[in-house]
Amino acid sequence: MTLHVIVLAAGKGSRMKSNIPKVLHQVAGKPMLHRVIETASSLAPQQTHLVLGHGINQIEASLGVVEGSFNTVTQAEQLGTGHAVKLALSHVPDDTVSLVLYGDVPLITQGTLAECVAAAQSGRLSIVTANFSDPAQLGRIARDAQGRINAIVEYKDASAEERRITEINSGILAAPTHLLRTWLSRVTPNNQQGEYYLTDVVGMAVADGIDVHGIVVSNENEVMGVNDRVQLAQAERLIQHQQTDLLMRHGVSFADPSRVDIRGTLTCGIDCFIDVNTVFIGDVSLGNGVIVGPSSVVQDSAIGHGVHIKAHTVVEGAVVAEDCQLGPFARIRPGSNFAAGVKVGNFVETKKASLGQGAKASHLSYLGDAIIGDGANIGAGTVTCNYDGVDKHQTTIGKDAFIGTNSTLVAPLEIGDDAFVAAGSTVTSTVEPESLAVGRARQRTISKWLSPLRRKKNRD
Ligand code: UD1
Ligand code: CA
């Protein structure tokens, strides 16, 4: 039977105290709702229906980056979870299975959802539950003497005895669509909150003799709901630990896995070492034996085997081949492309710069819109003047060229292989291969010159 996914996300989320809709708050660099949709997508549903209300425009605008097509169902007034699902079901054919998810339960796993759907495929109502250390105001799972699920009792409607139950309703459920539709048509708002409870379908299934299958997740965190920023931070750390645990099992070491943030996808070879306060954003890959020093940020970059990124280095949109050394305090900007063994040291900024094998810029440079040959040495303080206020221009530096300290290279400019630029030069025209360019004022020396201080001393 084909699967339809319904994600509830119409609520206001007032406890977030935010102008941003709750489900767009991010965990591990991704809005919670996008995370839920992506987890559900792994089950290959025929369609995903999003029930939206508060912040609908912002939410719809955010979905452009998520793969797949969504059907948006507007729930103008939040009359309860039962009402929300009922609205979505008008877009779902009878001979399917419906899976109900929540935009604010971001840690749910594919494994649990697959189990939930499988039970519904066999004609049962399947609900995901957990034993909570602090069940707070969540719905309680009522079971009979044989341990079969009888009903879900909402906290506000529960007796003192029922409130002592620690097994809670995550809210996530799956059922054959035609059954769910029939039950929801019978749900009324006759309860403490005057809401249409989705949870009422459990009692109806029992009354109809339909088997209710409970999936008790072993880790309560998997079904934690995010209602405020404290829970958001908890969810963030949980996901971070899931990610670092996985990487450690694949041969990566962390100085401290609780002081790393992965906001995207980090793939690593073996024997990498990742120091504290490092942040990985977007798609980052590290080869084998990469060292990432403390307080570095690496974003959307491919880093080769044996690269050492030293402390306080920022790398963005770069391709870095094996055995390069970057930093400390280097800034590698988009379009930087380094061949093997390149060294880019402290306070060096590169942008759209290709550095050939073994090229070095060890200190205090700006290299933008530059192609630099194998083995070239860029002296401290070298600056490519790539911008004239209107256009960007290219600097090309040949193989094994030597650019002396504090050189100003005014682009467009070509410096040939094995050329030598004297320290302190301002270079504005082509330097042929194997030639020397000196572009600076000649030194004058005045001997026996009396400085004001020496003159004063002579007077006194
Ligand atoms: C619901 C369950 C409760 C469960 C809890 C888990 C019901 C009646 N109760 O509680 O048993 O323990 O979830 O978190 O289902 N929403 C809509 N439209 C609505 C109402 C809610 O889209 O009309 C969405 C909210 O945005 C939210 C989710 O559904 O993402 C859950 O709603 P919320 O009010 O947080 O949960 P409760 O109804 O209190
Ligand atoms: Ca509610």
Side-chain angles (χ1 to χ4, degrees):
M1 242 187 284
T2 52
L3 172 67
H4 282 247
V5 171
I6 299 165
V7 185
L8 304 193
K12 185 154 188 227
S14 22
R15 278 176 281 168
M16 294 301 282
K17 306 256 165 45
S18 176
N19 290 325
I20 303 163
K22 174 164 81 171
V23 293
L24 291 188
H25 281 264
Q26 300 196 346
V27 282
K30 198 176 278 180
M32 289 193 278
L33 178 63
H34 296 190
R35 198 166 277 283
V36 171
I37 292 172
E38 282 179 15
T39 307
S41 301
S42 65
L43 304 173
Q46 188 167 65
Q47 204 170 18
T48 300
H49 310 268
L50 308 177
V51 182
L52 303 179
H54 285 280
I56 184 165
N57 294 335
Q58 265 173 286
I59 294 173
E60 282 186 326
S62 80
L63 292 169
V65 297
V66 185
E67 274 176 49
S69 70
F70 317 104
N71 173 37
T72 311
V73 181
T74 308
Q75 190 193 23
E77 245 189 306
Q78 282 71 62
L79 302 178
T81 47
H83 176 252
V85 173
K86 192 175 167 181
L87 288 178
L89 283 189
S90 62
H91 305 271
V92 184
D94 258 342
D95 57 344
T96 61
V97 159
S98 289
L99 169 67
V100 178
L101 302 178
Y102 296 77
D104 54 3
V105 180
L107 302 185
I108 191 71
T109 63
Q110 184 198 353
T112 300
L113 296 185
E115 200 183 330
C116 187
V117 169
Q121 302 276 21
S122 65
R124 292 180 282 179
L125 168 61
S126 177
I127 64 175
V128 177
T129 77
N131 284 295
F132 266 38
S133 40
D134 173 17
Q137 304 219 345
L138 295 166
R140 303 299 205 263
I141 305 295
R143 291 180 182 263
D144 66 15
Q146 283 74 46
R148 287 177 305 220
I149 295 173
N150 256 342
I152 298 175
V153 188
E154 288 306 294
Y155 179 84
K156 291 197 173 110
D157 304 290
S159 64
E161 196 185 335
E162 285 165 332
R163 286 181 182 183
R164 279 196 289 275
I165 299 172
T166 56
E167 188 184 1
I168 61 87
N169 171 33
S170 73
I172 294 169
L173 61 78
T177 303
H178 70 279
L179 293 177
L180 197 55
R181 197 191 312 280
T182 325
W183 295 326
L184 284 174
S185 70
R186 288 195 254 143
V187 169
T188 61
N190 294 330
N191 51 55
Q192 282 297 319
Q193 304 186 76
E195 283 182 13
Y196 293 86
Y197 288 170
L198 173 61
T199 45
D200 283 355
V201 303
V202 174
M204 293 176 182
V206 173
D208 287 357
I210 301 289
D211 193 21
V212 180
H213 178 69
I215 296 164
V216 190
V217 295
S218 56
N219 184 345
E220 64 175 85
N221 293 327
E222 188 185 337
V223 294
M224 78 172 282
V226 172
N227 293 305
D228 59 27
R229 293 183 199 243
V230 173
Q231 290 171 325
L232 186 71
Q234 284 164 355
E236 175 73 29
R237 227 356 77 193
L238 287 163
I239 290 202
Q240 292 302 338
H241 274 293
Q242 283 172 9
Q243 296 180 140
T244 50
D245 283 357
L246 199 67
L247 287 166
M248 288 189 280
R249 296 210 171 86
H250 282 90
V252 177
S253 287
F254 291 92
D256 179 355
S258 30
R259 284 186 286 166
V260 170
D261 272 36
I262 301 167
R263 300 177 194 149
T265 310
L266 174 63
T267 51
C268 296
I270 57 168
D271 294 325
C272 293
F273 176 80
I274 297 174
D275 217 320
V276 297
N277 299 334
T278 43
V279 182
F280 298 88
I281 303 168
D283 280 327
V284 175
S285 66
L286 307 181
N288 294 332
V290 172
I291 300 173
V292 183
S295 302
S296 291
V297 180
V298 187
Q299 178 168 2
D300 294 315
S301 294
I303 309 295
H305 300 311
V307 169
H308 188 174
I309 298 174
K310 297 176 187 170
H312 297 281
T313 292
V314 178
V315 182
E316 185 187 351
V319 178
V320 178
E322 61 270 18
D323 301 323
C324 290
Q325 292 190 45
L326 315 179
F329 297 99
R331 178 156 185 230
I332 315 301
R333 291 172 52 203
S336 295
N337 196 326
F338 300 160
V342 159
K343 191 174 171 221
V344 170
N346 44 264
F347 308 109
V348 173
E349 174 181 347
T350 66
K351 184 219 75 173
K352 286 193 189 156
S354 295
L355 272 66
Q357 199 167 332
K360 287 192 180 73
S362 299
H363 337 261
L364 302 158
S365 270
Y366 172 64
L367 302 172
D369 301 294
I371 299 173
I372 295 168
D374 296 352
N377 186 79
I378 312 297
T382 297
V383 170
T384 54
C385 309
N386 59 333
Y387 186 47
D388 58 14
V390 179
D391 295 311
K392 297 281 168 69
H393 302 282
Q394 185 84 27
T395 300
T396 306
I397 297 173
K399 285 185 189 165
D400 296 319
F402 185 97
I403 311 300
T405 301
N406 203 29
S407 295
T408 304
L409 309 179
V410 182
L413 182 65
E414 264 187 64
I415 295 173
D417 293 351
D418 295 299
F420 195 108
V421 171
S425 292
T426 297
V427 184
T428 54
S429 59
T430 305
V431 181
E432 298 297 337
E434 298 175 21
S435 49
L436 167 70
V438 189
R440 65 188 183 216
R442 191 175 278 278
Q443 181 180 328
R444 274 203 308 155
T445 310
I446 299 166
S447 53
K448 303 277 190 313
W449 186 68
L450 283 180
S451 70
L453 184 64
R454 289 186 57 218
R455 229 178 281 162
K456 185 169 180 282
K457 269 189 197 155
N458 288 354
R459 263 202 321 264
D460 295 344

